[in-house]
Amino acid sequence: MPIELDPETEARLRRLAEARHISSESLLRIALSQYLEREESAPGQHPSGRPWPRRTPVGGIITPV
């Protein structure tokens, strides 16, 4: 699945990948995997496994899609 990045983010990704001597695709896979692990194990997770609804500054509820 291709991911479109803005030019600044793409340049940052390439610079970091070059500094780490890995491909930008590998760096994206690592980052995505770490993000998913962190989010899936985050405290405050709803018993269903979905995040709790967030409140807006005026008190409304934003439910995850």
Side-chain angles (χ1 to χ4, degrees):
M1 159 184 352
I3 298 175
E4 271 192 48
L5 302 173
D6 61 88
E8 181 183 342
T9 302
E10 188 171 344
R12 291 172 62 200
L13 176 65
R14 286 181 192 213
R15 280 193 304 269
L16 185 58
E18 287 174 8
R20 300 287 189 266
H21 305 289
I22 61 174
S23 70
S24 55
E25 291 83 5
S26 292
L27 186 57
L28 281 173
R29 277 194 292 275
I30 292 166
L32 182 57
S33 177
Q34 290 176 354
Y35 174 80
L36 291 172
E37 287 176 21
R38 186 172 54 246
E39 288 298 308
E40 289 170 346
S41 66
Q45 197 76 321
H46 189 275
S48 71
R50 297 185 67 177
W52 287 97
R54 295 178 295 151
R55 298 226 175 249
T56 65
V58 293
I61 295 177
I62 302 172
T63 56
V65 178

